[in-house]
Amino acid sequence: MTALRAGVVCERCEALSPFGAPRCVLCGAFWSWSEPAGGGVGTPGPAAVSRGFEAPPRKPARASTEEEPMEQAQGYVCAECSSPVPSGHKFCGACGATVPDDVQNMREEYFGRAQTPGTARLVVVRGQEGSSEGMTYLLHGREHIAGRQGDHVVFPDDPWVSPRHANFFYRDGSLVVRDEQSANGVYVRVTRPTPVSDGDRFLCGEQVFRVEVTSDDPAGVGEDGTYFYASPRRPSAFRLVQMLEGGADGMVCGAHDDVCRVGREQADLNFPHDIYMSGRHAHLEQRGDDTLLVDDGSRNGTYLKIRGEQALADGDYLFIGKELLRVDVTS
């Protein structure tokens, strides 16, 4: 024999409420025998008590032409007895029914993966012949191979990009780029004075330079003690070598007073026809035992070739081949 539930049936929405409830648990309507202004709760009469699941006959519709708004439920409504269940409760307080797991574990979600905090994307600022400018790559996986034949970030029309050029991945919540032994490397924009070593390369405008630390040994002395006849050699902590396409060396400049400047004009190495080079673009200087690469507030920035891998932050810029990329990280 099935047990019958008894309670008070709402005259407005016909929901079943337990005895003692001051008003309907679903729509919030007060009972016809209670006075909301006085705060008292009347005792339900025989007509208001449900006999099993039989509801009392509805009252005639009110003459008002305006539809009365029904109070919206403030949380989950029990599927068994239609009673409201406060957020975080595992059971209905009226009938004891279990709140479904999907309701208990419900959480707020983002519209798309691009909104997830910490997710990064690469935006192509300048592409080879403009073919890929404005393209965006969402980095939502564990690893993202970039290259001419990459799996995720592909630049098929850039001949300066290796087939497998670089890998973008996350470590301890931060984005990291790793050079996959590419032919031309990965260049990241410097944002502060950065130490460089013998053999390091950096980019200013469209010019690529190699840093060479000079030796204190004067050399040029033959086995018989005869000196090689050449121009006088002045002391210099380092020198800059311009690298030309194809691998040949171009202009070479030694440091003057431990500083060597690069720019479009009024520098030690001048490139008046490079439209991406600022007037005073960058310089190398010797500070104690360190040789530092310093950007002089150039418009397009100075980029240092990474050794192995490097962590990236929101707003960083980097070159892969001739593709200039900006890193955007969702906060």
Side-chain angles (χ1 to χ4, degrees):
M1 180 176 179
T2 304
L4 300 180
R5 292 179 297 172
V8 182
V9 177
C10 178
E11 297 174 352
R12 176 186 293 179
C13 67
E14 298 185 0
L16 185 66
S17 300
F19 287 126
R23 55 182 177 175
C24 177
V25 296
L26 182 60
C27 71
F30 286 94
W31 311 128
S32 58
W33 60 85
S34 62
E35 296 293 338
V41 180
T43 302
V49 179
S50 172
R51 293 175 293 276
F53 290 98
E54 181 182 358
R58 295 184 179 180
K59 286 188 175 183
R62 299 185 180 182
S64 174
T65 58
E66 296 184 1
E67 181 179 356
E68 294 185 3
M70 184 176 71
E71 183 179 348
Q72 187 179 11
Q74 299 299 309
Y76 171 71
V77 177
C78 179
E80 298 294 330
C81 68
S82 299
S83 298
V85 180
S87 177
H89 287 213
K90 296 183 178 181
F91 303 96
C92 174
C95 69
T98 302
V99 177
D101 290 338
D102 59 338
V103 175
Q104 294 185 43
N105 301 324
M106 186 177 296
R107 62 180 183 180
E108 185 179 6
E109 297 288 348
Y110 291 97
F111 281 122
R113 287 179 292 188
Q115 293 178 283
T116 306
T119 299
R121 62 181 179 179
L122 300 176
V123 180
V124 181
V125 178
R126 176 194 177 199
Q128 170 67 9
E129 298 180 354
S131 60
S132 57
E133 289 183 7
M135 188 175 296
T136 299
Y137 297 92
L138 180 62
L139 307 180
H140 56 76
R142 296 182 59 185
E143 295 187 345
H144 314 82
I145 301 299
R148 206 169 62 248
Q149 300 173 2
D151 297 331
H152 304 90
V153 184
V154 187
F155 303 110
D157 301 322
D158 192 333
W160 286 273
V161 175
S162 296
R164 183 184 174 94
H165 198 109
N167 187 5
F168 294 88
F169 60 96
Y170 294 99
R171 177 189 294 149
D172 299 329
S174 298
L175 181 66
V176 179
V177 60
R178 180 171 61 224
D179 186 357
E180 295 291 327
Q181 298 181 348
S182 63
N184 294 309
V186 177
Y187 291 78
V188 178
R189 187 173 185 173
V190 298
T191 57
R192 60 182 62 86
T194 304
V196 293
S197 305
D198 184 48
D200 277 345
R201 302 178 185 181
F202 65 93
L203 172 69
C204 295
E206 291 188 317
Q207 313 303 319
V208 180
F209 302 95
R210 183 178 68 249
V211 180
E212 291 186 356
V213 176
T214 56
S215 172
D216 293 333
D217 183 5
V221 181
E223 294 181 357
D224 61 355
T226 304
Y227 281 83
F228 179 77
Y229 189 72
S231 299
R233 179 178 181 180
R234 69 172 183 269
S236 177
F238 58 86
R239 64 181 181 178
L240 285 184
V241 181
Q242 180 192 25
M243 300 180 63
L244 302 178
E245 289 184 359
D249 290 343
M251 293 189 294
V252 180
C253 181
H256 295 267
D257 298 326
D258 293 336
V259 176
C260 187
R261 300 188 180 276
V262 176
R264 199 173 62 249
E265 56 190 13
Q266 299 181 354
D268 298 310
L269 285 174
N270 297 293
F271 301 90
H273 302 296
D274 190 336
I275 61 174
Y276 300 107
M277 181 87 70
S278 295
R280 297 187 57 125
H281 197 106
H283 70 272
L284 280 179
E285 65 176 83
Q286 191 72 25
R287 294 185 188 174
D289 295 331
D290 296 327
T291 304
L292 302 179
L293 174 62
V294 183
D295 182 81
D296 291 329
S298 64
R299 171 171 294 185
N300 291 310
T302 302
Y303 298 77
L304 178 64
K305 183 181 178 182
I306 68 173
R307 291 180 177 266
E309 60 184 43
Q310 181 173 323
L312 299 174
D314 181 51
D316 277 348
Y317 288 82
L318 66 152
F319 268 103
I320 292 180
K322 291 197 174 182
E323 310 297 321
L324 175 59
L325 310 175
R326 184 184 73 241
V327 178
D328 290 346
V329 180
T330 306
S331 58

